Amino acid sequence: VQLQASGGGLVQAGDSLRLSCAASGFRFRDYRMGWFRQTPGKEREFVADIDRNGGSTGYADSVKGRFTISRDNAKNTAYLQMNNLQPGDTAVYSCAARNGPRSIYFSTYTKWGQGTQVTVSS
């Protein structure tokens, strides 16, 4: 089972990035996907999630209106489009998969992978 996040980088405030999460080793279309982020010394924070067919999404208040989660089940890939990035968005972003109802708690996700670093300078 693999979930590989990519697309991070160093950007300036106001810029955009698109993260990708490539899944393999399991039936991607059966799983809800979530994005989480973490900074040193802080708990992992829920960012966004999307249901199995992409019809329902949820966002943390801090990113609502700026970030958009999506998925392409034919490509076994989930995405996180991040617009108007701010220094407070600096974190390691990870994707995770869950076969169940919506949850904002990382511990309830059964599959996850290495994250990708996003750094936003002011």
Side-chain angles (χ1 to χ4, degrees):
V1 171
Q2 270 197 317
L3 285 173
Q4 182 62 55
S6 62
L10 172 63
V11 298
Q12 293 186 327
D15 285 350
S16 298
L17 279 175
R18 188 195 196 200
L19 305 184
S20 298
C21 172
S24 62
F26 66 100
R27 192 173 168 86
F28 178 75
R29 66 185 62 192
D30 287 345
Y31 284 75
R32 174 181 297 271
M33 296 299 298
W35 282 97
F36 294 81
R37 65 187 183 186
Q38 189 171 27
T39 54
K42 289 190 175 182
E43 292 288 325
R44 203 182 304 263
E45 176 188 19
F46 169 80
V47 176
D49 75 332
I50 188 167
D51 69 356
R52 292 180 297 177
N53 61 17
S56 177
T57 58
Y59 298 92
D61 287 344
S62 58
V63 307
K64 203 172 292 184
R66 299 188 297 124
F67 291 12
T68 302
I69 189 171
S70 62
R71 66 189 295 160
D72 185 338
N73 285 347
K75 296 182 178 179
N76 291 342
T77 303
Y79 304 96
L80 185 69
Q81 177 68 42
M82 305 186 296
N83 297 331
N84 190 22
L85 282 160
Q86 299 299 314
D89 296 317
T90 295
V92 174
Y93 285 72
S94 302
C95 55
R98 168 177 165 80
N99 188 352
R102 182 168 186 247
S103 173
I104 64 171
Y105 301 104
F106 185 78
S107 62
T108 65
Y109 285 71
T110 56
K111 307 181 190 301
W112 61 90
Q114 296 289 334
T116 184
Q117 176 72 46
V118 172
T119 304
V120 185
S121 63
S122 57

